[in-house]
Amino acid sequence: MSGPIFLEPGRAEQDTLAIRLAAVPRPRRRQQDDATLAIRLPRKGPDEEAVNALAAELADRIGPAVHAYEVAALLEADGLSAAVIQQRYGHPDLFSLASALYERVPRAFPEPAMSAADPWRPDTVRCLLRGLLFALPALAYLLTAPLWSVDRYAPVLIVAGIASWAWGQALGHRAHLRLATGRREAARTLLAGSVLGAVVATGLAALPAGGGPVTAVAAAQSLYLAGAGVLLVLGRERLLLAALSPLIAGAAVLPWWEPGTLLRLAVPLLALLATLAAATLVLASGLAVPAVAGPRPRLRASVPYGLFGLAAAVLVMLEGRRDPYAVIALTLSMGPAEWLLYRYRGRSVAALHASATPRAFQLRSSGVLVLCLSCYLLLLLPAALFTDSHALGLLSLAAVLWTALLLQAFGVAWPPAAVCLAAAGAAGAFTWLGPSPGHPAVLPAVCGVAAVALSACTVVLLGRPSPHA
């Protein structure tokens, strides 16, 4: 998501770590200012008087430089040739003269003429709505709970959910890459990928189901996740909310009225059909757009995002085995988590503008990371205490997911995927095969180590100016 460093004059980035060139072009300096017949006697060493005069002339342009190389670029842009540098100023080359000028002029970093608008200002309503949409499908299980044994068939739905989550993460990344080419290309990717993902998830769920009727429930869950993924990737959150309105209405009347078997089945089915219809309409509008020629991104670029989705689903499932309500709180917190991801990017850009050295920016960037992550965990703490959940396990898992998503937002995909896969593998092995299966301290310990590792990756990889410029 980050772009290249712009080097054009007059931009706000030039007030800190960007290379600063003159905003107003100066006329080329003449190579011979003295009389044509003047005799130049050979001299040894630099001409201090001439260098001092040049430093005074260019003081306002040399002062903001943070390295002598910037002064060299300025002199080269000003048309200073090697012959003039040697004959007039007595220096052997451009970089020697630039170093001398850099040492003579004190550092001066003028404030920008006006503060730039935050390019990463988050849409608060949209972020909160997305967190709500992640949790609303759970109302379908609440409505249908009396009609079947959830505990008995939970493994079937868990397998389908994990497969859909992993597939959806990879498909969402690829669809965003195709959106850079055009809407039609993204719609084609989502159409083919969502159908194939639903088939794969249903097929995997059929293995533990043994071909029983619960396979139909897994198929419905997979189809919903495929359709909802299409709407979320294309930014149609309000349309998805409208499609889920039957679920909201059906769950709202449960405390006062028993709807009966027919309505308990009809309401989730209506929400599923509405979601699929909305996704079909959105894809149809995208396919109606003229095609745009462009390179197709490689499939392997989306692999780490799918692996992260697989690991995250396993970790959340392990937490759900201990504290189901903790998973609901974690799901609802994904909206504020996304909002804080935007705030991290915005505050990092502001830190870049306020820093004069790479070290200063790294310190400011680390402070922004601590602030945003602390806000997210403090937001989850009351939910953990209210639901009587294991606060340490929930907070450590939340820290893992948030820092991993932060790295992915900057295009850093493999480190979070590797760390989360290792954490999911270790937690799963200790949970099912360890000397104390199901020990409550396993998941918090594993997630705590993973959170520290991901935080260190964030400080090292995102503590540099280039990802934010």
Side-chain angles (χ1 to χ4, degrees):
M1 297 174 66
S2 59
I5 299 178
F6 293 93
L7 304 181
E8 291 88 345
R11 297 180 58 89
E13 292 88 341
Q14 293 172 325
D15 297 318
T16 54
L17 302 181
I19 295 178
R20 302 166 181 82
L21 300 180
V24 180
R26 291 176 178 260
R28 291 181 175 271
R29 186 174 283 101
R30 295 176 57 191
Q31 297 189 7
Q32 296 294 339
D33 293 334
D34 300 334
T36 305
L37 299 180
I39 298 177
R40 296 185 177 274
L41 298 177
R43 61 174 177 265
K44 296 180 180 181
D47 187 341
E48 299 296 335
E49 183 178 350
V51 174
N52 290 336
L54 182 62
E57 178 185 351
L58 302 178
D60 58 333
R61 301 160 67 192
I62 297 176
V66 296
H67 196 277
Y69 287 170
E70 295 187 32
V71 182
L74 187 151
L75 297 176
E76 188 175 22
D78 212 27
L80 210 62
S81 66
V84 173
I85 293 174
Q86 295 172 3
Q87 295 174 10
R88 181 183 303 169
Y89 301 106
H91 279 268
D93 53 39
L94 175 69
F95 295 101
S96 174
L97 177 60
S99 299
L101 294 173
Y102 182 78
E103 294 173 358
R104 281 170 168 77
V105 178
R107 307 277 65 77
F109 303 104
E111 293 295 329
M114 58 180 299
S115 59
D118 184 1
W120 297 103
R121 183 178 180 182
D123 186 342
T124 304
V125 175
R126 180 174 178 269
C127 291
L128 295 178
L129 178 58
R130 287 174 68 88
L132 182 64
L133 290 173
F134 293 149
L136 281 179
L139 296 177
Y141 302 108
L142 179 64
L143 283 167
T144 59
L147 307 180
W148 58 303
S149 176
V150 178
D151 295 337
R152 178 182 177 185
Y153 298 112
V156 179
L157 300 182
I158 289 174
V159 170
I162 291 176
S164 295
W165 199 343
W167 188 279
Q169 289 289 314
L171 178 61
H173 174 261
R174 183 164 180 81
H176 279 294
L177 293 180
R178 297 297 283 160
L179 271 174
T181 303
R183 287 181 56 198
R184 179 184 177 87
E185 288 68 27
R188 291 180 59 184
T189 298
L190 287 170
L191 176 60
S194 58
V195 172
L196 182 58
V199 171
V200 170
T202 303
L204 292 176
L207 298 178
V214 72
T215 306
V217 180
Q221 174 184 278
S222 302
L223 285 172
Y224 167 77
L225 292 175
V230 169
L231 295 174
L232 290 173
V233 168
L234 297 179
R236 306 303 294 270
E237 291 85 4
R238 289 176 174 81
L239 191 56
L240 179 57
L241 179 63
L244 293 178
S245 57
L247 279 181
I248 302 173
V253 301
L254 286 181
W256 301 279
W257 179 59
E258 170 55 44
T261 302
L262 183 60
L263 284 178
R264 283 182 178 272
L265 287 174
V267 169
L269 182 59
L270 179 60
L272 171 62
L273 294 177
T275 301
L276 295 178
T280 301
L281 289 175
V282 172
L283 289 177
S285 64
L287 292 173
V289 176
V292 178
R296 296 177 64 88
R298 296 181 178 180
L299 288 173
R300 65 184 182 185
S302 301
V303 170
Y305 295 87
L307 293 178
F308 163 74
L310 175 63
V314 171
L315 290 173
V316 171
M317 181 269 296
L318 293 175
E319 177 66 21
R321 291 177 70 250
R322 299 191 312 156
D323 297 308
Y325 292 107
V327 174
I328 297 177
L330 185 63
T331 304
L332 288 171
S333 73
M334 287 295 103
E338 185 175 349
W339 188 88
L340 286 168
L341 291 178
Y342 280 101
R343 293 307 302 146
Y344 174 87
R345 300 208 71 162
R347 286 184 173 271
S348 295
V349 172
L352 181 63
H353 292 168
S355 302
T357 63
R359 179 62 177 170
F361 171 72
Q362 188 176 47
L363 292 175
R364 282 189 169 93
S365 177
S366 301
V368 173
L369 173 65
V370 172
L371 175 63
C372 292
L373 182 57
S374 300
C375 289
Y376 179 48
L377 298 182
L378 288 175
L379 180 68
L380 270 175
L381 183 58
L385 298 177
F386 179 76
T387 57
D388 198 22
S389 303
H390 295 83
L392 185 59
L394 176 60
L395 296 183
S396 59
L397 176 57
V400 169
L401 296 180
W402 191 84
T403 49
L405 291 173
L406 176 62
L407 288 168
Q408 287 185 345
F410 283 86
V412 181
W414 278 111
V419 172
C420 291
L421 278 175
F430 276 105
T431 299
W432 292 304
L433 305 175
S436 300
H439 194 281
V442 171
L443 188 62
V446 171
C447 288
V449 174
V452 172
L454 289 173
S455 299
C457 288
T458 303
V459 172
V460 173
L461 298 177
L462 304 187
R464 299 173 298 173
S466 54
H468 308 272

